[in-house]
Amino acid sequence: MKHLLIILFILILNGCSGTQKILSPKGSQLKIVSENDIDCCCENKGIVTASQGYGIGWSVTEANESALNEVRNKAAKSGGNSIKIIEANSTGDPFNGGGITYIAGVYICDYDKINN
């Protein structure tokens, strides 16, 4: 019985920790654009969201990076080359639960027009 409780405890801890989202090659190529860039030279492709709960031993920075990586990866998969962060929301803290959520607009932008 004692061994079963230890195994159950370890499984619960692993389930709470989550995994760090790795930035994909396409996600790393996305640029973050401003409202002026969007008005000038971008086509709206929709909205993506991503959340990351605080894992055991995770800092706020690690959870933030993981959620942002996920939102960039989703935007790249949906065909965008740019994102604009609409909302970033943090709840709780690493010691008491909670996490970070991003909502981002996805766009295809013409950077030749933006840079001129």
Side-chain angles (χ1 to χ4, degrees), residues 46-113:
I47 293 177
V48 293
T49 63
S51 296
Q52 178 63 61
Y54 295 120
I56 295 174
W58 283 42
S59 70
V60 172
T61 302
E62 290 168 321
N64 184 56
E65 180 181 345
S66 183
L68 189 53
N69 286 349
E70 184 177 2
V71 86
R72 291 172 68 105
N73 291 344
K74 286 181 175 181
K77 278 186 179 178
S78 70
N81 67 356
S82 307
I83 60 171
K84 179 174 185 313
I85 303 298
I86 297 169
E87 183 177 333
N89 187 24
S90 176
T91 59
D93 62 63
F95 305 105
N96 298 307
I100 295 174
T101 300
Y102 277 100
I103 302 171
V106 181
Y107 300 90
I108 295 177
C109 297
D110 182 343
Y111 288 108
D112 289 334
K113 290 182 181 177

Side-chain angles (χ1 to χ4, degrees), residues 21-29 69 72-74 76-77:
K21 304 296 188 265
I22 305 299
L23 188 58
S24 71
K26 286 185 178 182
S28 69
Q29 295 174 6
N69 286 349
R72 291 172 68 105
N73 291 344
K74 286 181 175 181
K77 278 186 179 178

